[in-house]
Amino acid sequence: MWIAPDWRDYRLLDCGGGERLERWGKYTLARPDPQAIWPRTEPELWKRADAVYHRSSTGGGRWEIRSLPESWTIGWREQTFNIKPMSFKHTGVFPEQAANWDFIAQQVRAAGRPVSVLNLFAYTGGATLAAAAAGASVCHVDAARGMVAWARENAKSSGLSDAPVRYIVDDCKKFVQREIKRGRRYDAIIMDPPSYGRGPTGEVWKFENDIAPFLELCAGVLSPEPLFVIISSYTAGISPSVASYLLGTVLLPRFGGKVEASELGLLCQSTGLALPCGHTARWMKG
């Protein structure tokens, strides 16, 4: 399991009973987590949560805000993220992805040449900031206008407003198709596709049906000497091996290199155990 390192302002304080208790800067949030099926170990801590997300029996849910501002910031390494409790329990950051951000930064810095990165389904820009801070030029693509605006906010808060980042609101598949026609190529591709989603004009995405042809399409926008490709997934029933087989099948015959895959995890402060939080597969040239 790859563990997210070096968070200054985030801690997984406890988890159990189908929930996780987290400290985000000054504030503590309790949120559902279907992986945490064991008992809690710090019951008193849970009582002091500043906000609790309650699931609804009919789907979705709501936040019970006890003491919480509309938004605030937290830091990871040199980056700063704006946190805002959203619908469906999210906060705007998946902290376990820091394990990938470190990998991205290391790959870009070690390249010894200019690197162009395509970040697809890019959300609020954690991977974009990691790549840009390491010196890459980045194309950040997401179908949700609000998420792209949020990514710009994070870049500004991180002192990266002037970094070479293009922010694109578009359906990722259609964008890649157009990039291929335009002859644009990228040295690295990062993608964190949803289990299910819709594009700006109603395009339907379902991970099980669409990830294999989408990866094949994306191979067409890679440069002749690419550095890495990352697929992250939170889709239930899809193991790390599945994504690694996809990368190996599509990329190894064309570019050589190697593939690795693992669960992502967060260390729980109360137990020292690692809470599984989705998984990632990586193809890399070196």
Side-chain angles (χ1 to χ4, degrees):
M1 183 182 288
W2 293 328
I3 304 297
D6 299 328
W7 272 105
R8 294 200 308 272
D9 298 331
Y10 171 87
R11 290 290 183 276
L12 177 60
L13 301 176
D14 194 19
C15 54
E19 294 183 292
R20 59 166 79 175
L21 184 69
E22 304 159 292
R23 181 174 63 77
W24 297 81
K26 298 178 182 179
Y27 304 101
T28 303
L29 309 181
R31 303 189 290 160
D33 193 305
Q35 300 275 22
I37 61 175
W38 46 85
R40 300 173 181 177
T41 59
E42 298 284 351
E44 290 303 313
L45 283 179
W46 292 80
K47 296 176 183 178
R48 300 196 291 271
D50 296 296
V52 179
Y53 187 89
H54 299 286
R55 282 196 183 276
S56 169
S57 58
T58 58
R62 64 176 182 84
W63 282 100
E64 175 194 345
I65 305 297
R66 298 171 180 173
S67 176
L68 207 63
E70 183 176 340
S71 66
W72 66 99
T73 61
I74 64 170
W76 175 80
R77 298 200 186 281
E78 299 84 14
Q79 279 76 67
T80 299
F81 296 94
N82 295 274
I83 303 301
K84 308 171 190 176
M86 305 161 59
S87 60
F88 196 63
K89 75 177 184 178
H90 293 160
T91 63
V93 173
F94 288 83
E96 64 276 5
Q97 286 291 334
N100 279 327
W101 304 340
D102 263 351
F103 170 83
I104 292 164
Q106 290 162 3
Q107 290 284 312
V108 170
R109 291 191 177 109
R113 59 180 171 92
V115 175
S116 59
V117 175
L118 177 59
N119 189 10
L120 301 167
F121 310 97
Y123 197 51
T124 60
T128 294
L129 297 183
S137 60
V138 185
C139 183
H140 174 111
V141 186
D142 198 283
R145 187 173 300 277
M147 294 300 102
V148 174
W150 197 335
R152 286 181 178 273
E153 290 179 22
N154 287 336
K156 181 178 181 180
S157 297
S158 300
L160 292 169
S161 292
D162 296 328
V165 180
R166 287 193 299 151
Y167 295 95
I168 307 292
V169 179
D170 202 351
D171 174 75
C172 289
K173 178 180 177 181
K174 291 183 178 179
F175 178 79
V176 172
Q177 289 170 334
R178 286 194 290 270
E179 290 291 87
I180 291 172
K181 289 180 180 179
R182 287 187 283 251
R184 288 206 176 113
R185 297 294 182 263
Y186 296 88
D187 301 305
I189 298 175
I190 304 159
M191 64 178 81
D192 187 0
S195 300
Y196 179 87
R198 288 186 179 272
T201 57
E203 304 88 348
V204 175
W205 167 276
K206 189 173 182 182
F207 189 93
E208 298 92 324
N209 297 340
D210 295 313
I211 186 60
F214 184 69
L215 179 61
E216 185 71 40
L217 176 69
C218 288
V221 82
L222 283 169
S223 67
E225 294 292 332
L227 292 176
F228 64 88
V229 176
I230 298 175
I231 301 176
S232 292
S233 176
Y234 295 86
T235 302
I238 301 295
S239 74
S241 296
V242 171
S244 72
Y245 295 157
L246 282 170
L247 287 172
T249 300
V250 174
L251 299 180
L252 290 180
R254 304 183 192 195
F255 302 108
K258 61 182 180 180
V259 175
E260 60 183 15
S262 182
E263 290 183 302
L264 298 177
L266 294 168
L267 283 179
C268 182
Q269 182 173 293
S270 62
T271 64
L273 302 177
L275 176 67
C277 305
H279 63 262
T280 288
R282 304 165 179 163
W283 171 86
M284 67 204 79
K285 184 65 175 179

